[in-house]
mmCIF file of all heavy atoms in Angstrom:
data_model
loop_
_atom_site.group_PDB
_atom_site.id
_atom_site.type_symbol
_atom_site.label_atom_id
_atom_site.label_comp_id
_atom_site.label_asym_id
_atom_site.label_seq_id
_atom_site.Cartn_x
_atom_site.Cartn_y
_atom_site.Cartn_z
ATOM 1 N N GLU D 69 -6.271 13.568 29.191
ATOM 2 C CA GLU D 69 -5.333 12.841 28.306
ATOM 3 C C GLU D 69 -5.873 11.508 27.990
ATOM 4 O O GLU D 69 -6.176 10.717 28.905
ATOM 5 C CB GLU D 69 -4.005 12.745 28.948
ATOM 6 C CG GLU D 69 -2.875 12.317 28.001
ATOM 7 C CD GLU D 69 -1.584 12.340 28.599
ATOM 8 O OE1 GLU D 69 -1.364 12.970 29.617
ATOM 9 O OE2 GLU D 69 -0.674 11.620 28.026
ATOM 10 N N ARG D 70 -6.168 11.245 26.801
ATOM 11 C CA ARG D 70 -6.738 9.966 26.423
ATOM 12 C C ARG D 70 -5.755 9.125 25.573
ATOM 13 O O ARG D 70 -5.126 9.679 24.808
ATOM 14 C CB ARG D 70 -8.015 10.157 25.695
ATOM 15 C CG ARG D 70 -9.092 10.965 26.497
ATOM 16 C CD ARG D 70 -9.867 9.974 27.315
ATOM 17 N NE ARG D 70 -11.162 10.530 27.767
ATOM 18 C CZ ARG D 70 -12.258 10.443 27.086
ATOM 19 N NH1 ARG D 70 -12.277 9.811 25.886
ATOM 20 N NH2 ARG D 70 -13.363 11.007 27.469
ATOM 21 N N PRO D 71 -5.875 7.885 25.736
ATOM 22 C CA PRO D 71 -5.102 7.059 24.901
ATOM 23 C C PRO D 71 -5.760 6.875 23.534
ATOM 24 O O PRO D 71 -6.833 7.329 23.323
ATOM 25 C CB PRO D 71 -5.150 5.678 25.567
ATOM 26 C CG PRO D 71 -6.481 5.611 26.142
ATOM 27 C CD PRO D 71 -6.712 7.021 26.522
ATOM 28 N N ALA D 72 -5.002 6.447 22.597
ATOM 29 C CA ALA D 72 -5.572 6.331 21.265
ATOM 30 C C ALA D 72 -4.923 5.347 20.452
ATOM 31 O O ALA D 72 -3.822 4.806 20.790
ATOM 32 C CB ALA D 72 -5.181 7.734 20.498
ATOM 33 N N PRO D 73 -5.578 4.844 19.466
ATOM 34 C CA PRO D 73 -5.005 3.816 18.686
ATOM 35 C C PRO D 73 -3.794 4.465 17.893
ATOM 36 O O PRO D 73 -3.734 5.587 17.688
ATOM 37 C CB PRO D 73 -6.036 3.445 17.609
ATOM 38 C CG PRO D 73 -7.290 4.050 18.153
ATOM 39 C CD PRO D 73 -6.931 5.179 18.901
ATOM 40 N N HIS D 74 -2.911 3.576 17.476
ATOM 41 C CA HIS D 74 -1.864 4.059 16.549
ATOM 42 C C HIS D 74 -1.819 3.192 15.380
ATOM 43 O O HIS D 74 -2.268 2.075 15.434
ATOM 44 C CB HIS D 74 -0.503 4.159 17.270
ATOM 45 C CG HIS D 74 0.222 2.872 17.197
ATOM 46 N ND1 HIS D 74 0.114 1.994 18.212
ATOM 47 C CD2 HIS D 74 1.107 2.442 16.353
ATOM 48 C CE1 HIS D 74 0.966 1.029 17.891
ATOM 49 N NE2 HIS D 74 1.547 1.248 16.752
ATOM 50 N N TRP D 75 -1.272 3.650 14.365
ATOM 51 C CA TRP D 75 -1.155 2.806 13.189
ATOM 52 C C TRP D 75 0.221 3.046 12.543
ATOM 53 O O TRP D 75 0.856 4.005 12.764
ATOM 54 C CB TRP D 75 -2.263 3.096 12.117
ATOM 55 C CG TRP D 75 -2.316 4.461 11.685
ATOM 56 C CD1 TRP D 75 -1.608 5.092 10.622
ATOM 57 C CD2 TRP D 75 -3.016 5.556 12.380
ATOM 58 N NE1 TRP D 75 -1.911 6.422 10.569
ATOM 59 C CE2 TRP D 75 -2.761 6.773 11.569
ATOM 60 C CE3 TRP D 75 -3.838 5.600 13.351
ATOM 61 C CZ2 TRP D 75 -3.264 8.040 11.915
ATOM 62 C CZ3 TRP D 75 -4.406 6.876 13.782
ATOM 63 C CH2 TRP D 75 -4.160 7.984 12.891
ATOM 64 N N ALA D 76 0.674 2.027 11.897
ATOM 65 C CA ALA D 76 1.955 2.036 11.259
ATOM 66 C C ALA D 76 1.748 2.221 9.678
ATOM 67 O O ALA D 76 0.833 1.676 9.196
ATOM 68 C CB ALA D 76 2.633 0.744 11.537
ATOM 69 N N GLU D 77 2.566 2.995 9.136
ATOM 70 C CA GLU D 77 2.500 3.201 7.732
ATOM 71 C C GLU D 77 3.532 2.460 6.993
ATOM 72 O O GLU D 77 4.710 2.758 7.079
ATOM 73 C CB GLU D 77 2.716 4.713 7.419
ATOM 74 C CG GLU D 77 2.906 5.087 5.990
ATOM 75 C CD GLU D 77 1.712 4.795 5.134
ATOM 76 O OE1 GLU D 77 0.550 4.824 5.699
ATOM 77 O OE2 GLU D 77 1.866 4.496 3.935
ATOM 78 N N PRO D 78 3.115 1.372 6.327
ATOM 79 C CA PRO D 78 4.112 0.505 5.803
ATOM 80 C C PRO D 78 4.726 1.211 4.522
ATOM 81 O O PRO D 78 3.934 1.480 3.589
ATOM 82 C CB PRO D 78 3.421 -0.792 5.386
ATOM 83 C CG PRO D 78 1.954 -0.407 5.354
ATOM 84 C CD PRO D 78 1.762 0.857 6.226
ATOM 85 N N GLN D 79 5.959 1.377 4.513
ATOM 86 C CA GLN D 79 6.563 1.940 3.343
ATOM 87 C C GLN D 79 7.146 1.014 2.482
ATOM 88 O O GLN D 79 7.650 1.236 1.360
ATOM 89 C CB GLN D 79 7.695 2.851 3.757
ATOM 90 C CG GLN D 79 7.159 4.232 4.343
ATOM 91 C CD GLN D 79 6.309 4.983 3.413
ATOM 92 O OE1 GLN D 79 6.712 5.272 2.303
ATOM 93 N NE2 GLN D 79 5.174 5.389 3.778
ATOM 94 N N ALA D 80 7.184 -0.248 2.832
ATOM 95 C CA ALA D 80 7.759 -1.259 1.948
ATOM 96 C C ALA D 80 6.876 -2.507 1.915
ATOM 97 O O ALA D 80 6.266 -2.729 2.907
ATOM 98 C CB ALA D 80 9.148 -1.660 2.462
ATOM 99 N N ALA D 81 6.888 -3.137 0.796
ATOM 100 C CA ALA D 81 5.907 -4.068 0.621
ATOM 101 C C ALA D 81 6.266 -5.418 1.434
ATOM 102 O O ALA D 81 5.376 -6.136 1.846
ATOM 103 C CB ALA D 81 5.876 -4.598 -0.825
ATOM 104 N N THR D 82 7.494 -5.514 1.621
ATOM 105 C CA THR D 82 7.905 -6.829 1.988
ATOM 106 C C THR D 82 7.935 -7.161 3.528
ATOM 107 O O THR D 82 7.954 -8.389 3.876
ATOM 108 C CB THR D 82 9.410 -7.070 1.639
ATOM 109 O OG1 THR D 82 10.144 -5.959 2.037
ATOM 110 C CG2 THR D 82 9.529 -7.219 0.095
ATOM 111 N N CYS D 83 7.698 -6.150 4.248
ATOM 112 C CA CYS D 83 7.562 -6.523 5.690
ATOM 113 C C CYS D 83 6.575 -5.509 6.294
ATOM 114 O O CYS D 83 6.933 -4.392 6.636
ATOM 115 C CB CYS D 83 8.856 -6.378 6.465
ATOM 116 S SG CYS D 83 8.734 -6.799 8.207
ATOM 117 N N ILE D 84 5.383 -5.976 6.508
ATOM 118 C CA ILE D 84 4.460 -5.068 7.130
ATOM 119 C C ILE D 84 4.555 -4.984 8.641
ATOM 120 O O ILE D 84 4.666 -6.033 9.285
ATOM 121 C CB ILE D 84 3.011 -5.526 6.769
ATOM 122 C CG1 ILE D 84 2.836 -5.425 5.215
ATOM 123 C CG2 ILE D 84 1.957 -4.735 7.534
ATOM 124 C CD1 ILE D 84 1.450 -5.469 4.737
ATOM 125 N N PRO D 85 4.718 -3.803 9.096
ATOM 126 C CA PRO D 85 5.092 -3.716 10.507
ATOM 127 C C PRO D 85 4.112 -4.238 11.523
ATOM 128 O O PRO D 85 4.446 -4.508 12.623
ATOM 129 C CB PRO D 85 5.263 -2.200 10.744
ATOM 130 C CG PRO D 85 5.516 -1.650 9.336
ATOM 131 C CD PRO D 85 4.701 -2.579 8.420
ATOM 132 N N ALA D 86 2.784 -4.252 11.167
ATOM 133 C CA ALA D 86 1.788 -4.663 12.132
ATOM 134 C C ALA D 86 2.120 -5.991 12.681
ATOM 135 O O ALA D 86 2.039 -6.223 13.964
ATOM 136 C CB ALA D 86 0.486 -4.758 11.468
ATOM 137 N N GLU D 87 2.592 -6.921 11.866
ATOM 138 C CA GLU D 87 2.963 -8.257 12.343
ATOM 139 C C GLU D 87 4.142 -8.078 13.241
ATOM 140 O O GLU D 87 4.179 -8.724 14.290
ATOM 141 C CB GLU D 87 3.262 -9.144 11.150
ATOM 142 C CG GLU D 87 4.168 -10.365 11.541
ATOM 143 C CD GLU D 87 3.444 -11.382 12.418
ATOM 144 O OE1 GLU D 87 2.280 -11.311 12.438
ATOM 145 O OE2 GLU D 87 4.162 -12.153 13.030
ATOM 146 N N ALA D 88 5.169 -7.386 12.737
ATOM 147 C CA ALA D 88 6.380 -7.124 13.586
ATOM 148 C C ALA D 88 5.996 -6.561 14.940
ATOM 149 O O ALA D 88 6.625 -6.962 15.979
ATOM 150 C CB ALA D 88 7.290 -6.252 12.818
ATOM 151 N N TRP D 89 5.230 -5.594 14.999
ATOM 152 C CA TRP D 89 4.999 -4.918 16.211
ATOM 153 C C TRP D 89 4.116 -5.751 17.163
ATOM 154 O O TRP D 89 4.291 -5.668 18.385
ATOM 155 C CB TRP D 89 4.296 -3.562 16.029
ATOM 156 C CG TRP D 89 5.013 -2.675 15.063
ATOM 157 C CD1 TRP D 89 4.452 -1.839 14.200
ATOM 158 C CD2 TRP D 89 6.397 -2.526 14.879
ATOM 159 N NE1 TRP D 89 5.349 -1.221 13.445
ATOM 160 C CE2 TRP D 89 6.668 -1.637 13.889
ATOM 161 C CE3 TRP D 89 7.500 -3.193 15.429
ATOM 162 C CZ2 TRP D 89 7.815 -1.360 13.367
ATOM 163 C CZ3 TRP D 89 8.758 -2.885 14.937
ATOM 164 C CH2 TRP D 89 8.903 -1.944 13.860
ATOM 165 N N ARG D 90 3.230 -6.446 16.674
ATOM 166 C CA ARG D 90 2.363 -7.258 17.488
ATOM 167 C C ARG D 90 3.097 -8.405 18.145
ATOM 168 O O ARG D 90 2.754 -8.886 19.110
ATOM 169 C CB ARG D 90 1.143 -7.722 16.840
ATOM 170 C CG ARG D 90 1.332 -8.867 15.815
ATOM 171 C CD ARG D 90 0.958 -10.260 16.448
ATOM 172 N NE ARG D 90 1.244 -11.254 15.558
ATOM 173 C CZ ARG D 90 1.284 -12.553 15.890
ATOM 174 N NH1 ARG D 90 0.969 -12.946 17.078
ATOM 175 N NH2 ARG D 90 1.547 -13.428 14.927
ATOM 176 N N CYS D 91 4.115 -8.829 17.419
ATOM 177 C CA CYS D 91 4.872 -9.971 17.845
ATOM 178 C C CYS D 91 5.321 -9.990 19.247
ATOM 179 O O CYS D 91 5.100 -10.778 20.012
ATOM 180 C CB CYS D 91 6.062 -10.272 16.892
ATOM 181 S SG CYS D 91 5.606 -11.232 15.516
ATOM 182 N N PRO D 92 6.032 -8.799 19.570
ATOM 183 C CA PRO D 92 6.562 -8.860 21.009
ATOM 184 C C PRO D 92 5.549 -8.689 22.078
ATOM 185 O O PRO D 92 5.826 -9.001 23.220
ATOM 186 C CB PRO D 92 7.673 -7.664 21.007
ATOM 187 C CG PRO D 92 7.649 -7.296 19.638
ATOM 188 C CD PRO D 92 6.390 -7.621 18.840
ATOM 189 N N TRP D 93 4.386 -8.032 21.741
ATOM 190 C CA TRP D 93 3.599 -7.555 22.851
ATOM 191 C C TRP D 93 3.018 -8.683 23.721
ATOM 192 O O TRP D 93 3.107 -8.533 24.970
ATOM 193 C CB TRP D 93 2.433 -6.691 22.262
ATOM 194 C CG TRP D 93 2.914 -5.515 21.536
ATOM 195 C CD1 TRP D 93 4.182 -5.002 21.472
ATOM 196 C CD2 TRP D 93 2.147 -4.751 20.642
ATOM 197 N NE1 TRP D 93 4.160 -3.917 20.678
ATOM 198 C CE2 TRP D 93 3.015 -3.773 20.080
ATOM 199 C CE3 TRP D 93 0.830 -4.846 20.267
ATOM 200 C CZ2 TRP D 93 2.582 -2.860 19.210
ATOM 201 C CZ3 TRP D 93 0.407 -3.896 19.301
ATOM 202 C CH2 TRP D 93 1.232 -2.895 18.799
ATOM 203 N N PRO D 94 2.386 -9.637 23.015
ATOM 204 C CA PRO D 94 1.886 -10.705 23.868
ATOM 205 C C PRO D 94 3.006 -11.389 24.690
ATOM 206 O O PRO D 94 2.683 -11.985 25.754
ATOM 207 C CB PRO D 94 1.229 -11.699 22.934
ATOM 208 C CG PRO D 94 1.003 -10.914 21.678
ATOM 209 C CD PRO D 94 2.035 -9.941 21.683
ATOM 210 N N ARG D 95 4.212 -11.362 24.257
ATOM 211 C CA ARG D 95 5.317 -12.066 24.972
ATOM 212 C C ARG D 95 5.707 -11.168 26.104
ATOM 213 O O ARG D 95 6.053 -11.630 27.204
ATOM 214 C CB ARG D 95 6.524 -12.252 24.100
ATOM 215 C CG ARG D 95 6.169 -13.005 22.707
ATOM 216 C CD ARG D 95 5.773 -14.476 22.979
ATOM 217 N NE ARG D 95 5.184 -14.910 21.753
ATOM 218 C CZ ARG D 95 3.984 -15.039 21.457
ATOM 219 N NH1 ARG D 95 3.108 -14.568 22.365
ATOM 220 N NH2 ARG D 95 3.490 -15.412 20.336
ATOM 221 N N LEU D 96 5.803 -9.822 25.853
ATOM 222 C CA LEU D 96 6.107 -8.921 26.933
ATOM 223 C C LEU D 96 5.019 -8.828 27.975
ATOM 224 O O LEU D 96 5.244 -8.735 29.175
ATOM 225 C CB LEU D 96 6.427 -7.497 26.337
ATOM 226 C CG LEU D 96 7.691 -7.415 25.445
ATOM 227 C CD1 LEU D 96 7.696 -5.931 24.856
ATOM 228 C CD2 LEU D 96 8.844 -7.685 26.301
ATOM 229 N N CYS D 97 3.795 -8.755 27.500
ATOM 230 C CA CYS D 97 2.633 -8.648 28.411
ATOM 231 C C CYS D 97 1.631 -9.676 27.941
ATOM 232 O O CYS D 97 0.740 -9.373 27.136
ATOM 233 C CB CYS D 97 2.064 -7.241 28.256
ATOM 234 S SG CYS D 97 3.220 -5.922 28.429
ATOM 235 N N PRO D 98 1.708 -10.874 28.395
ATOM 236 C CA PRO D 98 0.918 -11.998 27.959
ATOM 237 C C PRO D 98 -0.478 -11.822 28.089
ATOM 238 O O PRO D 98 -1.324 -12.373 27.412
ATOM 239 C CB PRO D 98 1.419 -13.200 28.718
ATOM 240 C CG PRO D 98 2.739 -12.764 29.267
ATOM 241 C CD PRO D 98 2.692 -11.325 29.452
ATOM 242 N N SER D 99 -1.009 -10.915 29.007
ATOM 243 C CA SER D 99 -2.471 -10.872 29.153
ATOM 244 C C SER D 99 -2.960 -9.807 28.349
ATOM 245 O O SER D 99 -4.193 -9.403 28.452
ATOM 246 C CB SER D 99 -2.704 -10.714 30.629
ATOM 247 O OG SER D 99 -2.230 -9.396 31.086
ATOM 248 N N LEU D 100 -2.208 -9.135 27.436
ATOM 249 C CA LEU D 100 -2.790 -7.995 26.617
ATOM 250 C C LEU D 100 -3.765 -8.558 25.581
ATOM 251 O O LEU D 100 -3.453 -9.646 25.058
ATOM 252 C CB LEU D 100 -1.616 -7.291 25.912
ATOM 253 C CG LEU D 100 -0.796 -6.294 26.680
ATOM 254 C CD1 LEU D 100 0.131 -5.573 25.746
ATOM 255 C CD2 LEU D 100 -1.693 -5.270 27.387
ATOM 256 N N GLN D 101 -4.777 -7.808 25.316
ATOM 257 C CA GLN D 101 -5.682 -8.161 24.208
ATOM 258 C C GLN D 101 -5.366 -7.084 23.154
ATOM 259 O O GLN D 101 -5.563 -5.932 23.362
ATOM 260 C CB GLN D 101 -7.128 -8.045 24.638
ATOM 261 C CG GLN D 101 -7.481 -8.790 25.825
ATOM 262 C CD GLN D 101 -7.760 -10.248 25.620
ATOM 263 O OE1 GLN D 101 -6.884 -10.993 25.640
ATOM 264 N NE2 GLN D 101 -8.999 -10.581 25.434
ATOM 265 N N VAL D 102 -4.908 -7.699 21.933
ATOM 266 C CA VAL D 102 -4.557 -6.706 20.853
ATOM 267 C C VAL D 102 -5.422 -7.063 19.605
ATOM 268 O O VAL D 102 -5.630 -8.139 19.263
ATOM 269 C CB VAL D 102 -3.108 -6.860 20.504
ATOM 270 C CG1 VAL D 102 -2.659 -5.974 19.395
ATOM 271 C CG2 VAL D 102 -2.204 -6.627 21.750
ATOM 272 N N GLY D 103 -5.957 -5.989 19.022
ATOM 273 C CA GLY D 103 -6.675 -6.090 17.845
ATOM 274 C C GLY D 103 -5.780 -5.573 16.665
ATOM 275 O O GLY D 103 -5.130 -4.556 16.927
ATOM 276 N N ILE D 104 -5.909 -6.212 15.523
ATOM 277 C CA ILE D 104 -5.129 -5.681 14.298
ATOM 278 C C ILE D 104 -6.196 -5.450 13.268
ATOM 279 O O ILE D 104 -6.916 -6.250 12.922
ATOM 280 C CB ILE D 104 -4.134 -6.663 13.768
ATOM 281 C CG1 ILE D 104 -3.282 -7.381 14.806
ATOM 282 C CG2 ILE D 104 -3.268 -5.991 12.735
ATOM 283 C CD1 ILE D 104 -1.980 -6.720 15.189
ATOM 284 N N LEU D 105 -6.306 -4.170 12.934
ATOM 285 C CA LEU D 105 -7.211 -3.798 11.873
ATOM 286 C C LEU D 105 -6.505 -3.490 10.568
ATOM 287 O O LEU D 105 -5.585 -2.611 10.574
ATOM 288 C CB LEU D 105 -8.089 -2.517 12.294
ATOM 289 C CG LEU D 105 -8.915 -1.900 11.289
ATOM 290 C CD1 LEU D 105 -9.970 -2.897 10.653
ATOM 291 C CD2 LEU D 105 -9.753 -0.773 11.947
ATOM 292 N N ASP D 106 -6.751 -4.202 9.565
ATOM 293 C CA ASP D 106 -6.033 -4.021 8.278
ATOM 294 C C ASP D 106 -6.905 -3.174 7.363
ATOM 295 O O ASP D 106 -7.986 -3.618 6.804
ATOM 296 C CB ASP D 106 -5.894 -5.416 7.633
ATOM 297 C CG ASP D 106 -5.095 -5.408 6.304
ATOM 298 O OD1 ASP D 106 -4.729 -4.248 5.902
ATOM 299 O OD2 ASP D 106 -5.034 -6.487 5.665
ATOM 300 N N VAL D 107 -6.563 -1.893 7.204
ATOM 301 C CA VAL D 107 -7.392 -1.050 6.290
ATOM 302 C C VAL D 107 -6.790 -0.923 4.899
ATOM 303 O O VAL D 107 -7.126 -0.034 4.092
ATOM 304 C CB VAL D 107 -7.682 0.344 6.927
ATOM 305 C CG1 VAL D 107 -8.452 0.171 8.228
ATOM 306 C CG2 VAL D 107 -6.399 1.113 7.079
ATOM 307 N N ASP D 108 -5.840 -1.727 4.607
ATOM 308 C CA ASP D 108 -5.367 -1.797 3.172
ATOM 309 C C ASP D 108 -6.231 -2.580 2.402
ATOM 310 O O ASP D 108 -6.188 -3.896 2.331
ATOM 311 C CB ASP D 108 -3.914 -2.336 3.157
ATOM 312 C CG ASP D 108 -3.292 -2.327 1.838
ATOM 313 O OD1 ASP D 108 -3.973 -1.967 0.886
ATOM 314 O OD2 ASP D 108 -2.056 -2.512 1.739
ATOM 315 N N LEU D 109 -7.228 -1.980 1.879
ATOM 316 C CA LEU D 109 -8.394 -2.767 1.247
ATOM 317 C C LEU D 109 -7.974 -3.395 -0.111
ATOM 318 O O LEU D 109 -8.488 -4.442 -0.611
ATOM 319 C CB LEU D 109 -9.621 -1.839 0.973
ATOM 320 C CG LEU D 109 -10.120 -1.164 2.302
ATOM 321 C CD1 LEU D 109 -11.331 -0.326 1.952
ATOM 322 C CD2 LEU D 109 -10.450 -2.253 3.368
ATOM 323 N N CYS D 110 -7.010 -2.738 -0.831
ATOM 324 C CA CYS D 110 -6.580 -3.300 -2.102
ATOM 325 C C CYS D 110 -5.506 -4.386 -2.004
ATOM 326 O O CYS D 110 -5.491 -5.278 -2.788
ATOM 327 C CB CYS D 110 -6.030 -2.193 -2.938
ATOM 328 S SG CYS D 110 -7.247 -0.893 -3.363
ATOM 329 N N GLY D 111 -4.737 -4.318 -0.880
ATOM 330 C CA GLY D 111 -3.772 -5.355 -0.739
ATOM 331 C C GLY D 111 -3.734 -5.844 0.710
ATOM 332 O O GLY D 111 -2.737 -5.582 1.461
ATOM 333 N N PRO D 112 -4.746 -6.581 1.118
ATOM 334 C CA PRO D 112 -4.868 -7.078 2.528
ATOM 335 C C PRO D 112 -3.867 -8.208 2.743
ATOM 336 O O PRO D 112 -4.193 -9.364 2.470
ATOM 337 C CB PRO D 112 -6.284 -7.423 2.672
ATOM 338 C CG PRO D 112 -6.736 -7.848 1.286
ATOM 339 C CD PRO D 112 -5.872 -7.014 0.285
#
Side-chain angles (χ1 to χ4, degrees):
Chain D
E69 195 177 338
R70 295 276 199 88
H74 87 270
W75 57 90
E77 169 62 29
Q79 286 300 311
T82 45
C83 179
I84 292 191
E87 160 67 21
W89 307 144
R90 74 98 182 167
C91 273
W93 304 342
R95 310 291 170 263
L96 291 175
C97 307
S99 65
L100 284 184
Q101 309 278 88
V102 180
I104 316 266
L105 171 55
D106 180 9
V107 300
D108 188 348
L109 303 181
C110 297

